[in-house]
Amino acid sequence: MKLIIAIVQDRDANKLMKALIKENFKMTKLASSGGFLKSGNTTLMIGVNEEYVDKVITIIGNTCKTREETVVSYSTTEATGIYMPYLSDSKVEVGGATIFTVDVEKYLKV
């Protein structure tokens, strides 16, 4: 048995969970937050037999696409010391999924 841990953006989470449920995969949903943009993430823990790992990863890849977002940066004006937001020219790639697959030594349901 394998445990797939998938970290996805909140905006992709519901669509992913529906796609997994449609294929009869069960999961546990955990709320989490990202590091780089401090945006909301969802962590899904999905326990599957080894032969289904690739199928689950394919569903995740088909559901959680990457996209570009403009970064909002903050600067301090010298005269007032006030933080002012401004749109920078830099764009970052967000979305997709971070996936970990680990061996499960023992599985119990009590």
Side-chain angles (χ1 to χ4, degrees):
M1 176 162 254
K2 299 286 187 176
L3 176 64
I4 300 171
I5 303 167
I7 304 165
V8 302
Q9 276 198 323
D10 281 345
R11 67 192 281 186
D12 295 327
N14 285 335
K15 186 176 176 183
L16 174 57
M17 289 187 297
K18 286 178 184 177
L20 290 168
I21 290 168
K22 183 178 177 182
E23 296 294 326
N24 295 316
F25 293 110
K26 297 178 182 171
M27 72 222 70
T28 298
K29 175 185 172 186
L30 304 170
S32 53
S33 61
F36 179 61
L37 296 177
K38 296 181 176 50
S39 59
N41 288 331
T42 297
T43 300
L44 298 178
M45 297 190 314
I46 310 152
V48 297
N49 289 328
E50 193 164 346
E51 64 265 21
Y52 294 112
V53 169
D54 290 337
K55 184 173 184 177
V56 170
I57 291 173
T58 298
I59 293 169
I60 295 168
N62 289 338
T63 307
C64 303
K65 301 293 185 185
T66 58
R67 53 196 154 280
E68 279 191 352
E69 287 186 7
T70 302
V71 176
V72 176
S73 299
Y74 294 87
S75 68
T76 305
T77 60
E78 283 186 42
T80 62
I82 298 174
Y83 286 100
M84 300 292 292
Y86 67 93
L87 288 177
S88 69
D89 292 331
S90 60
K91 294 191 180 256
V92 294
E93 189 175 274
V94 298
T98 301
I99 303 169
F100 300 92
T101 303
V102 296
D103 292 324
V104 175
E105 186 175 316
K106 185 186 257 186
Y107 167 74
L108 300 169
K109 188 171 183 177
V110 294

